[in-house]
Amino acid sequence: MKIKRITALFLAAAVMIGSAGGCGGQEKAQESLSQAETMKESKAETASTASLESQASEEIKETESSGITVTDMIGRKVRIVPGSYTRIVCIGAGALRMYSYIGDTGLLCGVEDIDNMTLSERPRMFDSVARPYMIAYGEEFSGLESCGVGGPNAQAAEAEKILSCNPDLVISQYEDVEKEDALQEQLGIPVVTLKAGANGVFDDSFKQSMDLLGVVLDRADRADELVSFIESEAKEISDRTAAVSEEERPGVYICGLGNWGTTNHLMTAQNYISFQIANVKNAVTDLAAPGIQAIEEEKFAALGADMDILIMDAAAVKNIIPLYQEDPGIFDTCKAWQEGEAYLQMAYNAYYTNYETALINTWFIAGTVYPELFEDIDMREKTNEVTRMFLGKELADQIFQCPSSFGGYQKIDTNTFFQ
């Protein structure tokens, strides 16, 4: 730029000298000098603008390196540097599962004992139930240090064990603001809390948790991909069933829903989200409160005539077997059981919700209630499609082979199933 400025001034001077003796030479010389000065001012302004842009760029870089503030799912403000973390632990029911959907499992430096199948001393209450994230990555988890015992009885994080793993980020599902703040201060690293919500995989809180992980891990594209897939699947199920009139909808009873491990044929929910997505008529409508809960034996018997179809969650089978062996007549008033319209869905609650399983179950329920609308859906193929999206692997065979899966999605033989 300096050479150009000198050349411009030299040319302007030459024009002035060459024109000094002619008519109007003085005016032309003055015009040339004016043009030269204008060029100098323009170049100076350009240099100033470039300097400001450079300064702004440096400020942006400084902001990126020092991090951003995010609000986690329980309202805490946490300072993070997106994508900078190389040693991560996940604590609390469901945290590791959620992380596995979005994050790189190769960055984990510790795992709760419940998720390390090689340990002799560990919580084992969910070992027979298919947990897809464990099927997909359990071998990787087995080589990691312990960051705590974990399990449904673990009500607080174990700071010393977490510190022994030397993490630079903690992903948590302990939903206590004061305890999370205290843990973050003790560890000296970010603790980011996730949350699912009552409607599980279809809940806005679950989707927001995925988005939050996308920001923290600098994997927003992956989070968008998963959330868009879930929304697309739910929409397709709803669209396929939307035209079925209320009069044409059979009454369906869902039972065996997980609730801290205590579940049987009486455990149900009148606001079961999969029914709502699939436009299914729930046989249970007049409970005092929403959510998973047990109804009385008398209530179950009274509803029996309205149960055109019974859907049983596989988690309940182990508890129903002794009840049925003691009293084979427990389903005598259930129309669906007597007519052979009982079906088995996969257990979706095991150390909190298996979100991919909950989505697959919704497809199964919709296809069971409205078979003519879902003739093109093969449950093994759908299971593989969903687990491939959530976890990058086709896991249908392994899921169906787990002891508490009883071979996979099926119509129950009511004459022999509990024998």
Side-chain angles (χ1 to χ4, degrees):
M1 292 177 66
K2 183 176 180 181
I3 293 173
K4 290 181 179 179
R5 286 198 297 271
I6 293 172
T7 302
L9 290 172
F10 177 79
L11 290 173
V15 170
M16 180 176 66
I17 293 170
S19 305
C23 180
Q26 185 175 358
E27 292 179 359
K28 290 182 178 179
Q30 184 62 38
E31 182 180 347
S32 297
L33 286 172
S34 177
Q35 291 174 350
E37 290 299 321
T38 300
M39 290 177 67
K40 285 173 64 179
E41 292 174 1
S42 176
K43 296 295 184 182
E45 289 176 0
T46 299
S48 176
T49 300
S51 176
L52 289 172
E53 290 176 349
S54 176
Q55 182 179 349
S57 177
E58 290 300 319
E59 289 176 354
I60 291 172
K61 289 179 181 178
E62 183 178 350
T63 300
E64 289 177 344
S65 64
S66 62
I68 61 173
T69 298
V70 297
T71 302
D72 72 7
M73 294 303 298
I74 57 173
R76 298 169 56 251
K77 303 291 184 182
V78 183
R79 192 74 176 175
I80 56 103
V81 181
S84 67
Y85 305 103
T86 59
R87 296 184 61 81
I88 301 171
V89 298
C90 302
I91 59 173
L96 181 58
R97 179 189 286 106
M98 279 193 175
Y99 176 85
S100 298
Y101 296 153
I102 303 297
D104 179 358
T105 56
L107 300 179
L108 296 168
C109 62
V111 68
E112 291 178 326
D113 295 348
I114 191 172
D115 290 326
N116 186 341
M117 301 289 284
T118 66
L119 299 179
S120 57
E121 297 293 330
R122 51 180 290 277
R124 297 178 179 274
M125 67 282 290
F126 301 120
D127 283 5
S128 70
V129 180
R131 285 186 285 159
Y133 75 106
M134 285 296 297
I135 297 173
Y137 301 117
E139 189 172 340
E140 293 182 39
F141 300 159
S142 67
L144 300 175
E145 297 295 321
S146 172
C147 64
V149 175
N153 295 322
Q155 298 301 305
E158 298 181 60
E160 290 186 6
K161 285 191 175 181
I162 295 171
L163 281 169
S164 70
C165 298
N166 192 30
D168 54 14
L169 173 69
V170 172
I171 301 297
S172 173
Q173 275 202 259
Y174 286 105
E175 298 176 15
D176 186 306
V177 172
E178 291 185 3
K179 289 182 179 179
E180 296 288 73
D181 285 342
L183 179 65
Q184 180 169 283
E185 183 175 354
Q186 186 173 0
L187 299 177
I189 59 174
V191 175
V192 177
T193 310
L194 308 179
K195 184 178 181 180
N199 289 327
V201 70
F202 302 111
D203 202 291
D204 286 342
S205 291
F206 175 80
K207 298 170 186 176
Q208 290 164 11
S209 288
M210 296 299 98
D211 289 337
L212 177 59
L213 280 173
V215 172
V216 173
L217 304 173
D218 195 22
R219 304 195 73 176
D221 288 347
R222 166 58 187 153
D224 288 343
E225 177 187 38
L226 181 58
V227 170
S228 295
F229 175 79
I230 294 166
E231 292 175 343
S232 175
E233 293 283 285
K235 184 177 186 303
E236 183 176 352
I237 295 170
S238 293
D239 287 350
R240 287 189 183 215
T241 58
V244 181
S245 67
E246 186 68 25
E247 294 75 21
E248 294 177 296
R249 298 176 182 178
V252 186
Y253 179 76
I254 181 74
C255 69
L257 302 181
N259 189 13
W260 288 88
T262 56
T263 185
N264 54 38
H265 63 296
L266 302 177
M267 195 70 70
T268 189
Q270 65 183 357
N271 62 328
Y272 191 49
I273 185 61
S274 292
F275 281 15
Q276 295 174 17
I277 295 293
N279 294 301
V280 169
K281 180 181 178 181
N282 199 325
V284 180
T285 60
D286 59 352
L287 302 183
I292 298 173
Q293 58 192 290
I295 60 174
E296 300 82 6
E297 288 276 6
E298 295 77 13
K299 178 77 171 178
F300 178 82
L303 288 170
D306 298 323
M307 299 178 187
D308 299 304
I309 296 173
L310 181 145
I311 307 289
M312 182 179 294
D313 192 276
V317 173
K318 66 178 181 180
N319 295 326
I320 297 177
I321 287 175
L323 296 176
Y324 187 87
Q325 291 175 344
E326 181 180 344
D327 178 14
I330 60 175
F331 293 110
D332 281 356
T333 63
C334 176
K335 177 183 176 183
W337 191 266
Q338 297 306 315
E339 296 183 355
E341 289 298 319
Y343 298 83
L344 189 74
Q345 73 170 24
M346 294 300 91
Y348 73 97
N349 277 322
Y351 200 33
Y352 216 55
T353 301
N354 290 317
Y355 300 100
E356 65 290 297
T357 307
L359 175 56
I360 302 164
N361 283 349
T362 308
W363 278 101
F364 176 69
I365 290 167
T368 297
V369 178
Y370 306 116
E372 69 282 358
L373 301 179
F374 294 85
E375 291 178 340
D376 59 318
I377 301 299
D378 177 88
M379 285 312 301
R380 185 176 297 275
E381 292 177 3
K382 176 56 69 173
T383 299
N384 280 331
E385 177 190 356
V386 174
T387 61
R388 186 169 61 245
M389 172 55 68
F390 275 74
L391 294 161
K393 300 181 180 183
E394 297 185 351
L395 303 175
D397 289 344
Q398 296 94 315
I399 290 172
F400 297 163
Q401 288 169 8
C402 286
S404 290
S405 294
F406 302 96
Y409 294 99
Q410 62 187 275
K411 186 174 186 177
I412 294 173
D413 185 340
T414 56
N415 294 314
T416 63
F417 192 71
F418 289 126
Q419 298 299 323

